[in-house]
Amino acid sequence: MLRSAHYIWSLKTVIFLLFLFSENLSAQSFKLLRYDENYEYLKDSSDTFYNRVKFLPLNEKKDNYLSFGGEARYEYVDFNNEDWGRLDIGHNNFFLQRYDLHADMHLGENIRVFSQIRSALQNGRKNGSRGIDEDQLSIQNLFIDINLINKTAQKLTFRLGRQELDYGSGRLISVREGPNARLSFTGAKIMYSHKNVFVDAFAMMADSINAGIFDNRISKQLNLWGAYSKIIFPQAGNLDLYYIGIRRDESVFEAGVAKEKRHTIGGRFWKYGGGLIYNLEAAYQFGSFGDQHISAWTGSVDIGYLFENVRFRPSINLRNDYISGDHSKDDGKLQTFNPLYPKGGYFGFSPQIGPVNLIDIHPYITLDLTSKLRMQMDVVFNWRYALQDGVYRPSGVLNRPGSSSDKRYIGTAYLTNFTYSFNRYFSLVSGIQYFRKGAFIEDIIPDAKSGVFYNIRLGFKF
């Protein structure tokens, strides 16, 4: 009851601020990773209260300064027949809230300390909070940056501490922005850039997310390491090349439960913007799972075209993914792909299907109905890649085993999403998805039901 009252009060406050300040705030863009923002350009223009919040000088030279920011997010979620009715919950609606505040302190040109606290709350879900729903209060980021090289065209930075990571399309390492509780890691990263080349190398300990107050824990073992590079080819596009290693003491696949050490090598060639759009990615995985060796892979093709000079600026796209699953439990080889730390809702916002043991065909279209309102419509056809493997959740966790069924088709998802940007500070996102069950679901779940999922989310950032 207290949380519900707090939710209503907070939502009213944000709506009031929306109408009070929507036309008065100065123009500003925000990044997915808030520590990527730079407000040094306000050095000589801190003439408003908001600008002073974003750039607060600490000395006369103004090379020591603080920058503050934050977020409030409110979301209503309505699930009908989650997990195809297997849990017999039926209608399940609940509220999510997320708040964060951060402080970014720069001490001269070469030292920086970034800190961020976050609160993620859930209220009303019949079967309790999932790991992605609730983390009442946590330190999301707390790290120090030291610039070892700091030139206009070349930079080398060392980062140490708790930090969020997000690379490429979010297929393998993501902060997990869609769900309520974002991911973070603790460790070291070194970042190098020179003109059109960017390279990060990192060694991390995964933080376990718990629902309470300041109770997240460091794993105390190296369980994520690797390197990620991006090369920009003017006019042609961008090339990402990466290697990622993970270690987990207890991984769960349909093949069993065992210690896992997995290596991923991959590449991505992509281009967004007007005209031709493409996003091509492939990765191969090897390593060990108990006494078995790993041989898994994925390939994705996403091609479209943005008609910039046509009314509503339509973008028409077609995507096709192949993600390997395990063909046999007894061949000494695990072929199930592991998505590592993927973003939630990579294939829409259904909580039932994730990027493991999957073939999908995914046409979609986007329309800018007005300068502030964007609509996207998707249809996703889903099959199992391997018949001896099951279906997995967006996190990569096993949802339902599948070796008892010889059916391949999982089902069809129909999605419609609207995003309304009041300005750069306030946004409203709403989506609905109908998941029509396929032959595989009907085979493994008695009296299986198709599902409907709906959400609406109001967000504010400063």
Side-chain angles (χ1 to χ4, degrees):
M1 182 67 69
L2 289 175
R3 282 194 180 183
S4 298
H6 176 67
Y7 173 85
I8 295 170
W9 179 87
S10 301
L11 187 56
K12 287 180 178 178
T13 302
V14 170
I15 293 173
F16 171 75
L17 289 172
L18 168 63
F19 289 102
L20 184 63
F21 295 115
S22 62
E23 299 301 328
N24 296 325
L25 295 175
S26 60
Q28 181 59 60
S29 60
F30 302 105
K31 306 288 188 182
L32 174 64
L33 303 174
R34 300 300 302 270
Y35 58 69
D36 282 340
E37 298 168 12
N38 187 343
Y39 294 92
E40 195 171 2
Y41 72 93
L42 294 174
K43 185 174 184 177
D44 299 317
S45 59
S46 299
D47 53 352
T48 67
F49 172 75
Y50 179 76
N51 285 355
R52 287 192 293 271
V53 168
K54 304 309 291 183
F55 186 91
L56 178 63
L58 301 177
N59 63 353
E60 290 185 9
K61 289 177 62 179
K62 297 185 179 180
D63 59 347
N64 296 346
Y65 66 91
L66 274 168
S67 179
F68 297 96
E71 173 191 9
R73 196 173 90 168
Y74 305 91
E75 182 173 9
Y76 169 77
V77 182
D78 195 328
F79 286 172
N80 284 275
N81 300 323
E82 185 178 353
D83 276 0
W84 305 286
R86 180 179 63 88
L87 303 177
D88 199 28
I89 294 176
H91 182 69
N92 192 2
N93 61 320
F94 52 96
F95 295 103
L96 300 172
Q97 305 171 61
R98 189 169 86 189
Y99 308 92
D100 75 58
L101 290 171
H102 69 257
D104 188 6
M105 181 170 63
H106 291 252
L107 302 175
E109 295 183 352
N110 296 320
I111 298 177
R112 173 207 193 188
V113 178
F114 185 90
S115 61
Q116 182 181 44
I117 59 171
R118 175 166 289 132
S119 176
L121 305 173
Q122 183 275 137
N123 179 258
R125 192 168 189 269
K126 290 181 179 178
N127 46 339
S129 293
R130 300 162 296 178
I132 61 174
D133 291 330
E134 187 158 23
D135 183 7
Q136 294 177 22
L137 190 60
S138 66
I139 299 174
Q140 190 72 15
N141 286 280
L142 180 58
F143 61 79
I144 182 171
D145 278 356
I146 300 173
N147 290 328
L148 305 176
I149 301 174
N150 193 1
K151 300 178 181 178
T152 302
Q154 186 180 28
K155 193 170 184 179
L156 180 65
T157 303
F158 177 73
R159 176 172 295 167
L160 181 66
R162 177 169 288 183
Q163 55 200 274
E164 295 177 325
L165 300 177
D166 195 273
Y167 287 107
S169 59
R171 175 182 289 270
L172 295 171
I173 299 180
S174 171
V175 292
R176 204 172 61 184
E177 168 64 5
N180 208 33
R182 285 171 53 148
L183 293 174
S184 66
F185 301 85
T186 300
K189 179 165 68 170
I190 190 160
M191 299 165 283
Y192 175 78
S193 63
H194 179 65
K195 296 183 179 178
N196 291 332
V197 178
F198 305 83
V199 182
D200 287 6
F202 49 87
M204 298 288 167
M205 298 175 288
D207 296 336
S208 62
I209 297 177
N210 299 302
I213 297 174
F214 295 130
D215 60 349
N216 292 350
R217 295 291 179 265
I218 301 171
S219 62
K220 297 183 180 179
Q221 70 173 18
L222 180 66
N223 46 24
L224 173 66
W225 62 91
Y228 201 102
S229 66
K230 181 175 76 171
I231 305 170
I232 300 174
F233 297 99
Q235 307 304 319
N238 309 273
L239 176 65
D240 295 359
L241 298 172
Y242 54 84
Y243 159 75
I244 303 168
I246 66 161
R247 170 187 167 182
R248 292 176 180 170
D249 289 338
E250 189 176 87
S251 290
V252 181
F253 301 98
E254 180 154 356
V257 181
K259 180 179 289 188
E260 177 185 17
K261 188 174 183 180
R262 186 180 295 243
H263 309 275
T264 303
I265 53 174
R268 173 178 175 241
F269 189 54
W270 55 281
K271 177 180 177 290
Y272 298 137
L276 183 65
I277 303 167
Y278 50 86
N279 184 8
L280 316 174
E281 187 165 5
Y284 177 73
Q285 295 182 330
F286 58 96
S288 61
F289 176 71
D291 58 359
Q292 302 184 59
H293 71 272
I294 294 170
S295 179
W297 61 277
T298 184
S300 175
V301 176
D302 189 347
I303 298 177
Y305 197 91
L306 172 60
F307 298 88
E308 287 190 293
N309 300 317
V310 177
R311 187 183 182 189
F312 302 134
R313 299 181 74 246
S315 171
I316 301 173
N317 305 268
L318 179 63
R319 176 173 172 173
N320 183 208
D321 296 275
Y322 279 79
I323 307 169
S324 68
D326 198 32
H327 289 295
S328 173
K329 298 179 182 179
D330 304 317
D331 61 0
K333 180 167 59 176
L334 178 68
Q335 297 158 315
T336 306
F337 186 81
N338 187 334
L340 309 185
Y341 298 98
K343 65 181 180 182
Y346 195 76
F347 300 88
F349 57 87
S350 166
Q352 299 169 124
I353 297 180
V356 185
N357 189 36
L358 187 69
I359 301 172
D360 76 74
I361 297 176
H362 180 179
Y364 61 99
I365 182 173
T366 64
L367 299 169
D368 291 341
L369 300 179
T370 72
S371 62
K372 296 184 177 183
L373 179 62
R374 167 166 288 193
M375 179 177 70
Q376 178 168 323
M377 294 179 290
D378 308 59
V379 180
V380 190
F381 305 94
N382 302 278
W383 296 263
R384 286 191 296 158
Y385 174 83
L387 297 182
Q388 293 301 305
D389 209 343
V391 290
Y392 293 73
R393 297 191 184 278
S395 63
V397 173
L398 180 65
N399 186 349
R400 300 301 298 158
S403 57
S404 63
S405 173
D406 61 357
K407 307 297 183 183
R408 192 176 295 275
Y409 195 62
I410 304 169
T412 309
Y414 303 89
L415 303 93
T416 301
N417 176 272
F418 293 91
T419 301
Y420 187 83
S421 300
F422 296 93
N423 49 45
R424 289 181 174 88
Y425 302 85
F426 292 88
S427 64
L428 187 67
V429 179
S430 182
I432 187 167
Q433 172 177 293
Y434 172 65
F435 192 97
R436 183 182 177 87
K437 62 184 179 178
F440 169 69
I441 298 302
E442 292 178 334
D443 201 26
I444 65 168
I445 298 177
D447 194 27
K449 299 177 177 63
S450 297
V452 178
F453 309 90
Y454 171 76
N455 80 328
I456 184 168
R457 177 192 300 163
L458 175 65
F460 166 68
K461 293 182 179 181
F462 74 92

